[in-house]
Amino acid sequence: MRTAMSGFVRTAAALAVGAVLVTGCGGGAEGPAAAFGGEAVGADLDAAGEAVGLSGGEKAGTPTYDGPAGGPPTAEERRRKDLMNRMAACSVAWMPVLTKGAADPAETERRFGTVLAALAERGWKEHRAVERTPLDEEGFVLVAAYKKRGWTLFAQHNEMGAVRVTSVTATEDACTARFTEEERKLLES
């Protein structure tokens, strides 16, 4: 009887550990950020792009920077590159492949709004409303921020004459929290 009972206890313990690994400590859909990882974030970004017919977004890879033109990188530039590589591991990015003859500025601005609406439908909550900043007579930048389950998403659309670029980058909050203030400043410089 003692052997059967200890086997039962081991089996129950293994099932409990397995449940925590699958669902996270919080369990269910509202578990920790680890239960909502980069793959799920990428699926949200792809779905938002597809909502406006901009599928085929490119996933950001590890940034490469070899230093100033004509010379090897400085120690600070090498450190910035290392930090960018660490930051890339915390992030999922999407940038649509735009074709020639893209829509006029009003249409691309509408598409940007549709991408944000599609993200909201997938549970992303507005953290910072869309801000429109004029660049000059021909251009503007739209920026917005959203949050979902331990991730912060930054969406941006640049309109500069014939150049139209939309990008969405989500970063895992726990991962980016590991960066020091000094490292963040170096990344921003």
Side-chain angles (χ1 to χ4, degrees):
M1 182 73 164
R2 197 178 236 322
T3 321
M5 182 58 96
S6 64
F8 173 79
V9 169
R10 277 194 307 271
T11 302
L15 289 173
V17 168
V20 167
L21 291 174
V22 170
T23 64
C25 296
E30 295 303 315
F36 181 71
E39 198 170 301
V41 171
D44 282 357
L45 300 184
D46 287 341
E50 289 171 8
V52 293
L54 294 175
S55 59
E58 298 176 357
K59 300 298 181 283
T62 302
T64 59
Y65 179 69
D66 295 325
T74 65
E76 182 176 305
E77 290 164 336
R78 284 191 303 275
R79 185 158 185 249
R80 183 178 295 115
K81 180 180 178 181
D82 290 342
L83 288 171
M84 290 173 64
N85 290 336
R86 281 181 45 213
M87 182 59 81
C90 298
S91 305
V92 176
W94 175 85
M95 183 182 299
V97 177
L98 300 176
T99 58
K100 290 181 180 178
D104 65 33
E107 175 61 17
T108 57
E109 191 169 353
R110 185 199 63 77
R111 283 183 181 176
F112 183 73
T114 303
V115 166
L116 296 179
L119 288 166
E121 286 176 11
R122 296 185 68 85
W124 289 88
K125 306 290 184 218
E126 186 178 85
H127 180 63
R128 190 173 85 202
V130 176
E131 294 177 19
R132 187 178 201 276
T133 305
L135 295 176
D136 61 20
E137 296 165 8
E138 294 183 31
F140 59 89
V141 175
L142 302 171
V143 179
Y146 284 70
K147 287 191 167 281
K148 181 178 178 179
R149 296 178 64 193
W151 288 75
T152 301
L153 180 144
F154 300 96
Q156 181 171 325
H157 175 76
N158 295 300
E159 190 84 26
M160 191 70 169
V163 177
R164 296 175 177 95
V165 179
T166 298
S167 64
V168 180
T169 304
T171 57
E172 186 180 21
D173 298 338
C175 185
T176 57
R178 294 184 210 127
F179 288 84
T180 66
E181 187 64 32
E182 177 189 348
E183 290 172 328
R184 286 188 199 117
K185 286 179 182 176
L186 183 59
L187 281 169
E188 292 171 4
S189 65

PDB file of all heavy atoms in Angstrom, residues 130-153:
ATOM      1  N   VAL A 130      -2.665  57.737 -30.542  1.00  0.00           N
ATOM      2  CA  VAL A 130      -1.930  58.119 -31.747  1.00  0.00           C
ATOM      3  C   VAL A 130      -1.597  59.604 -31.699  1.00  0.00           C
ATOM      4  O   VAL A 130      -2.460  60.436 -31.452  1.00  0.00           O
ATOM      5  CB  VAL A 130      -2.746  57.814 -33.025  1.00  0.00           C
ATOM      6  CG1 VAL A 130      -2.006  58.307 -34.268  1.00  0.00           C
ATOM      7  CG2 VAL A 130      -3.035  56.334 -33.140  1.00  0.00           C
ATOM      8  N   GLU A 131      -0.325  59.895 -31.895  1.00  0.00           N
ATOM      9  CA  GLU A 131       0.137  61.284 -31.993  1.00  0.00           C
ATOM     10  C   GLU A 131       0.588  61.507 -33.425  1.00  0.00           C
ATOM     11  O   GLU A 131       1.320  60.692 -33.984  1.00  0.00           O
ATOM     12  CB  GLU A 131       1.307  61.528 -31.043  1.00  0.00           C
ATOM     13  CG  GLU A 131       0.951  61.435 -29.585  1.00  0.00           C
ATOM     14  CD  GLU A 131       2.163  61.613 -28.683  1.00  0.00           C
ATOM     15  OE1 GLU A 131       3.197  62.158 -29.142  1.00  0.00           O
ATOM     16  OE2 GLU A 131       2.082  61.185 -27.527  1.00  0.00           O
ATOM     17  N   ARG A 132       0.156  62.606 -33.993  1.00  0.00           N
ATOM     18  CA  ARG A 132       0.541  62.965 -35.366  1.00  0.00           C
ATOM     19  C   ARG A 132       1.458  64.178 -35.289  1.00  0.00           C
ATOM     20  O   ARG A 132       1.075  65.226 -34.793  1.00  0.00           O
ATOM     21  CB  ARG A 132      -0.690  63.289 -36.196  1.00  0.00           C
ATOM     22  CG  ARG A 132      -0.403  63.500 -37.659  1.00  0.00           C
ATOM     23  CD  ARG A 132      -1.734  63.769 -38.392  1.00  0.00           C
ATOM     24  NE  ARG A 132      -1.668  63.507 -39.794  1.00  0.00           N
ATOM     25  CZ  ARG A 132      -1.224  64.360 -40.705  1.00  0.00           C
ATOM     26  NH1 ARG A 132      -0.787  65.548 -40.330  1.00  0.00           N
ATOM     27  NH2 ARG A 132      -1.215  64.037 -41.976  1.00  0.00           N
ATOM     28  N   THR A 133       2.680  64.023 -35.775  1.00  0.00           N
ATOM     29  CA  THR A 133       3.665  65.096 -35.749  1.00  0.00           C
ATOM     30  C   THR A 133       4.058  65.449 -37.177  1.00  0.00           C
ATOM     31  O   THR A 133       4.581  64.595 -37.899  1.00  0.00           O
ATOM     32  CB  THR A 133       4.926  64.654 -34.970  1.00  0.00           C
ATOM     33  OG1 THR A 133       4.527  64.207 -33.676  1.00  0.00           O
ATOM     34  CG2 THR A 133       5.926  65.782 -34.860  1.00  0.00           C
ATOM     35  N   PRO A 134       3.809  66.704 -37.585  1.00  0.00           N
ATOM     36  CA  PRO A 134       4.232  67.101 -38.931  1.00  0.00           C
ATOM     37  C   PRO A 134       5.760  67.154 -39.015  1.00  0.00           C
ATOM     38  O   PRO A 134       6.424  67.573 -38.077  1.00  0.00           O
ATOM     39  CB  PRO A 134       3.643  68.492 -39.112  1.00  0.00           C
ATOM     40  CG  PRO A 134       2.840  68.788 -37.902  1.00  0.00           C
ATOM     41  CD  PRO A 134       3.112  67.747 -36.875  1.00  0.00           C
ATOM     42  N   LEU A 135       6.304  66.710 -40.157  1.00  0.00           N
ATOM     43  CA  LEU A 135       7.748  66.779 -40.379  1.00  0.00           C
ATOM     44  C   LEU A 135       8.110  68.015 -41.181  1.00  0.00           C
ATOM     45  O   LEU A 135       9.083  68.669 -40.915  1.00  0.00           O
ATOM     46  CB  LEU A 135       8.236  65.525 -41.113  1.00  0.00           C
ATOM     47  CG  LEU A 135       8.108  64.220 -40.356  1.00  0.00           C
ATOM     48  CD1 LEU A 135       8.530  63.048 -41.230  1.00  0.00           C
ATOM     49  CD2 LEU A 135       8.950  64.257 -39.096  1.00  0.00           C
ATOM     50  N   ASP A 136       7.336  68.272 -42.198  1.00  0.00           N
ATOM     51  CA  ASP A 136       7.489  69.462 -43.025  1.00  0.00           C
ATOM     52  C   ASP A 136       6.212  69.563 -43.851  1.00  0.00           C
ATOM     53  O   ASP A 136       5.208  68.947 -43.522  1.00  0.00           O
ATOM     54  CB  ASP A 136       8.754  69.408 -43.887  1.00  0.00           C
ATOM     55  CG  ASP A 136       8.768  68.236 -44.861  1.00  0.00           C
ATOM     56  OD1 ASP A 136       7.692  67.685 -45.166  1.00  0.00           O
ATOM     57  OD2 ASP A 136       9.847  67.870 -45.329  1.00  0.00           O
ATOM     58  N   GLU A 137       6.230  70.282 -44.923  1.00  0.00           N
ATOM     59  CA  GLU A 137       5.027  70.454 -45.737  1.00  0.00           C
ATOM     60  C   GLU A 137       4.566  69.152 -46.375  1.00  0.00           C
ATOM     61  O   GLU A 137       3.403  68.997 -46.695  1.00  0.00           O
ATOM     62  CB  GLU A 137       5.282  71.506 -46.828  1.00  0.00           C
ATOM     63  CG  GLU A 137       5.555  72.876 -46.252  1.00  0.00           C
ATOM     64  CD  GLU A 137       6.157  73.825 -47.273  1.00  0.00           C
ATOM     65  OE1 GLU A 137       6.231  73.476 -48.462  1.00  0.00           O
ATOM     66  OE2 GLU A 137       6.563  74.916 -46.856  1.00  0.00           O
ATOM     67  N   GLU A 138       5.479  68.215 -46.562  1.00  0.00           N
ATOM     68  CA  GLU A 138       5.141  66.988 -47.260  1.00  0.00           C
ATOM     69  C   GLU A 138       5.005  65.769 -46.367  1.00  0.00           C
ATOM     70  O   GLU A 138       4.619  64.711 -46.845  1.00  0.00           O
ATOM     71  CB  GLU A 138       6.225  66.666 -48.297  1.00  0.00           C
ATOM     72  CG  GLU A 138       6.323  67.653 -49.411  1.00  0.00           C
ATOM     73  CD  GLU A 138       7.368  67.210 -50.419  1.00  0.00           C
ATOM     74  OE1 GLU A 138       7.562  65.995 -50.591  1.00  0.00           O
ATOM     75  OE2 GLU A 138       7.986  68.091 -51.029  1.00  0.00           O
ATOM     76  N   GLY A 139       5.347  65.851 -45.100  1.00  0.00           N
ATOM     77  CA  GLY A 139       5.390  64.625 -44.323  1.00  0.00           C
ATOM     78  C   GLY A 139       4.894  64.745 -42.904  1.00  0.00           C
ATOM     79  O   GLY A 139       4.665  65.834 -42.383  1.00  0.00           O
ATOM     80  N   PHE A 140       4.734  63.595 -42.297  1.00  0.00           N
ATOM     81  CA  PHE A 140       4.309  63.510 -40.904  1.00  0.00           C
ATOM     82  C   PHE A 140       4.706  62.153 -40.350  1.00  0.00           C
ATOM     83  O   PHE A 140       5.062  61.231 -41.097  1.00  0.00           O
ATOM     84  CB  PHE A 140       2.794  63.724 -40.761  1.00  0.00           C
ATOM     85  CG  PHE A 140       1.959  62.736 -41.530  1.00  0.00           C
ATOM     86  CD1 PHE A 140       1.562  61.523 -40.979  1.00  0.00           C
ATOM     87  CD2 PHE A 140       1.559  63.020 -42.827  1.00  0.00           C
ATOM     88  CE1 PHE A 140       0.792  60.625 -41.696  1.00  0.00           C
ATOM     89  CE2 PHE A 140       0.786  62.131 -43.556  1.00  0.00           C
ATOM     90  CZ  PHE A 140       0.402  60.917 -42.989  1.00  0.00           C
ATOM     91  N   VAL A 141       4.652  62.029 -39.032  1.00  0.00           N
ATOM     92  CA  VAL A 141       4.905  60.773 -38.337  1.00  0.00           C
ATOM     93  C   VAL A 141       3.725  60.509 -37.424  1.00  0.00           C
ATOM     94  O   VAL A 141       3.256  61.415 -36.722  1.00  0.00           O
ATOM     95  CB  VAL A 141       6.195  60.835 -37.491  1.00  0.00           C
ATOM     96  CG1 VAL A 141       6.383  59.561 -36.685  1.00  0.00           C
ATOM     97  CG2 VAL A 141       7.400  61.090 -38.359  1.00  0.00           C
ATOM     98  N   LEU A 142       3.239  59.271 -37.439  1.00  0.00           N
ATOM     99  CA  LEU A 142       2.202  58.821 -36.511  1.00  0.00           C
ATOM    100  C   LEU A 142       2.861  57.840 -35.549  1.00  0.00           C
ATOM    101  O   LEU A 142       3.596  56.950 -35.984  1.00  0.00           O
ATOM    102  CB  LEU A 142       1.078  58.110 -37.258  1.00  0.00           C
ATOM    103  CG  LEU A 142       0.356  58.891 -38.343  1.00  0.00           C
ATOM    104  CD1 LEU A 142      -0.577  57.965 -39.125  1.00  0.00           C
ATOM    105  CD2 LEU A 142      -0.425  60.037 -37.729  1.00  0.00           C
ATOM    106  N   VAL A 143       2.602  57.991 -34.260  1.00  0.00           N
ATOM    107  CA  VAL A 143       3.181  57.106 -33.253  1.00  0.00           C
ATOM    108  C   VAL A 143       2.088  56.747 -32.257  1.00  0.00           C
ATOM    109  O   VAL A 143       1.295  57.604 -31.851  1.00  0.00           O
ATOM    110  CB  VAL A 143       4.352  57.792 -32.509  1.00  0.00           C
ATOM    111  CG1 VAL A 143       4.927  56.874 -31.457  1.00  0.00           C
ATOM    112  CG2 VAL A 143       5.427  58.220 -33.482  1.00  0.00           C
ATOM    113  N   ALA A 144       2.057  55.471 -31.843  1.00  0.00           N
ATOM    114  CA  ALA A 144       1.110  55.004 -30.834  1.00  0.00           C
ATOM    115  C   ALA A 144       1.768  53.899 -30.018  1.00  0.00           C
ATOM    116  O   ALA A 144       2.728  53.268 -30.482  1.00  0.00           O
ATOM    117  CB  ALA A 144      -0.162  54.482 -31.492  1.00  0.00           C
ATOM    118  N   ALA A 145       1.280  53.664 -28.812  1.00  0.00           N
ATOM    119  CA  ALA A 145       1.804  52.587 -27.970  1.00  0.00           C
ATOM    120  C   ALA A 145       0.637  51.794 -27.385  1.00  0.00           C
ATOM    121  O   ALA A 145      -0.400  52.361 -27.026  1.00  0.00           O
ATOM    122  CB  ALA A 145       2.665  53.159 -26.848  1.00  0.00           C
ATOM    123  N   TYR A 146       0.820  50.490 -27.325  1.00  0.00           N
ATOM    124  CA  TYR A 146      -0.186  49.567 -26.792  1.00  0.00           C
ATOM    125  C   TYR A 146       0.501  48.602 -25.837  1.00  0.00           C
ATOM    126  O   TYR A 146       1.721  48.426 -25.881  1.00  0.00           O
ATOM    127  CB  TYR A 146      -0.835  48.777 -27.938  1.00  0.00           C
ATOM    128  CG  TYR A 146      -1.831  49.581 -28.734  1.00  0.00           C
ATOM    129  CD1 TYR A 146      -1.423  50.606 -29.569  1.00  0.00           C
ATOM    130  CD2 TYR A 146      -3.183  49.324 -28.637  1.00  0.00           C
ATOM    131  CE1 TYR A 146      -2.323  51.356 -30.291  1.00  0.00           C
ATOM    132  CE2 TYR A 146      -4.114  50.058 -29.351  1.00  0.00           C
ATOM    133  CZ  TYR A 146      -3.673  51.076 -30.185  1.00  0.00           C
ATOM    134  OH  TYR A 146      -4.581  51.817 -30.889  1.00  0.00           O
ATOM    135  N   LYS A 147      -0.293  47.939 -24.983  1.00  0.00           N
ATOM    136  CA  LYS A 147       0.242  46.958 -24.039  1.00  0.00           C
ATOM    137  C   LYS A 147      -0.640  45.715 -24.058  1.00  0.00           C
ATOM    138  O   LYS A 147      -1.846  45.801 -24.285  1.00  0.00           O
ATOM    139  CB  LYS A 147       0.276  47.517 -22.618  1.00  0.00           C
ATOM    140  CG  LYS A 147       1.369  48.545 -22.405  1.00  0.00           C
ATOM    141  CD  LYS A 147       1.526  48.863 -20.926  1.00  0.00           C
ATOM    142  CE  LYS A 147       2.783  49.630 -20.653  1.00  0.00           C
ATOM    143  NZ  LYS A 147       3.983  48.833 -20.625  1.00  0.00           N
ATOM    144  N   LYS A 148       0.026  44.578 -23.800  1.00  0.00           N
ATOM    145  CA  LYS A 148      -0.708  43.323 -23.674  1.00  0.00           C
ATOM    146  C   LYS A 148       0.159  42.314 -22.940  1.00  0.00           C
ATOM    147  O   LYS A 148       1.279  42.035 -23.367  1.00  0.00           O
ATOM    148  CB  LYS A 148      -1.083  42.770 -25.053  1.00  0.00           C
ATOM    149  CG  LYS A 148      -1.866  41.463 -25.010  1.00  0.00           C
ATOM    150  CD  LYS A 148      -2.252  41.011 -26.415  1.00  0.00           C
ATOM    151  CE  LYS A 148      -2.988  39.688 -26.387  1.00  0.00           C
ATOM    152  NZ  LYS A 148      -3.374  39.253 -27.745  1.00  0.00           N
ATOM    153  N   ARG A 149      -0.326  41.818 -21.836  1.00  0.00           N
ATOM    154  CA  ARG A 149       0.241  40.691 -21.100  1.00  0.00           C
ATOM    155  C   ARG A 149       1.761  40.705 -20.989  1.00  0.00           C
ATOM    156  O   ARG A 149       2.437  39.762 -21.351  1.00  0.00           O
ATOM    157  CB  ARG A 149      -0.246  39.392 -21.722  1.00  0.00           C
ATOM    158  CG  ARG A 149      -1.760  39.243 -21.593  1.00  0.00           C
ATOM    159  CD  ARG A 149      -2.289  38.013 -22.234  1.00  0.00           C
ATOM    160  NE  ARG A 149      -1.750  36.838 -21.559  1.00  0.00           N
ATOM    161  CZ  ARG A 149      -1.833  35.618 -22.057  1.00  0.00           C
ATOM    162  NH1 ARG A 149      -2.407  35.411 -23.207  1.00  0.00           N
ATOM    163  NH2 ARG A 149      -1.332  34.608 -21.403  1.00  0.00           N
ATOM    164  N   GLY A 150       2.309  41.816 -20.497  1.00  0.00           N
ATOM    165  CA  GLY A 150       3.743  41.892 -20.260  1.00  0.00           C
ATOM    166  C   GLY A 150       4.560  42.346 -21.454  1.00  0.00           C
ATOM    167  O   GLY A 150       5.782  42.240 -21.434  1.00  0.00           O
ATOM    168  N   TRP A 151       3.891  42.860 -22.483  1.00  0.00           N
ATOM    169  CA  TRP A 151       4.572  43.373 -23.675  1.00  0.00           C
ATOM    170  C   TRP A 151       4.111  44.796 -23.928  1.00  0.00           C
ATOM    171  O   TRP A 151       2.961  45.139 -23.671  1.00  0.00           O
ATOM    172  CB  TRP A 151       4.234  42.524 -24.902  1.00  0.00           C
ATOM    173  CG  TRP A 151       4.883  41.174 -24.892  1.00  0.00           C
ATOM    174  CD1 TRP A 151       4.518  40.097 -24.128  1.00  0.00           C
ATOM    175  CD2 TRP A 151       5.988  40.748 -25.666  1.00  0.00           C
ATOM    176  NE1 TRP A 151       5.338  39.038 -24.381  1.00  0.00           N
ATOM    177  CE2 TRP A 151       6.246  39.408 -25.331  1.00  0.00           C
ATOM    178  CE3 TRP A 151       6.780  41.376 -26.620  1.00  0.00           C
ATOM    179  CZ2 TRP A 151       7.281  38.679 -25.918  1.00  0.00           C
ATOM    180  CZ3 TRP A 151       7.804  40.641 -27.211  1.00  0.00           C
ATOM    181  CH2 TRP A 151       8.044  39.314 -26.857  1.00  0.00           C
ATOM    182  N   THR A 152       5.004  45.629 -24.443  1.00  0.00           N
ATOM    183  CA  THR A 152       4.674  46.982 -24.875  1.00  0.00           C
ATOM    184  C   THR A 152       4.943  47.066 -26.360  1.00  0.00           C
ATOM    185  O   THR A 152       6.009  46.653 -26.828  1.00  0.00           O
ATOM    186  CB  THR A 152       5.506  48.032 -24.118  1.00  0.00           C
ATOM    187  OG1 THR A 152       5.252  47.882 -22.713  1.00  0.00           O
ATOM    188  CG2 THR A 152       5.141  49.444 -24.556  1.00  0.00           C
ATOM    189  N   LEU A 153       3.984  47.596 -27.085  1.00  0.00           N
ATOM    190  CA  LEU A 153       4.058  47.670 -28.542  1.00  0.00           C
ATOM    191  C   LEU A 153       4.146  49.127 -28.965  1.00  0.00           C
ATOM    192  O   LEU A 153       3.393  49.965 -28.466  1.00  0.00           O
ATOM    193  CB  LEU A 153       2.798  47.021 -29.113  1.00  0.00           C
ATOM    194  CG  LEU A 153       2.647  46.989 -30.616  1.00  0.00           C
ATOM    195  CD1 LEU A 153       1.961  45.688 -31.014  1.00  0.00           C
ATOM    196  CD2 LEU A 153       1.838  48.156 -31.111  1.00  0.00           C
TER     197      LEU A 153
END
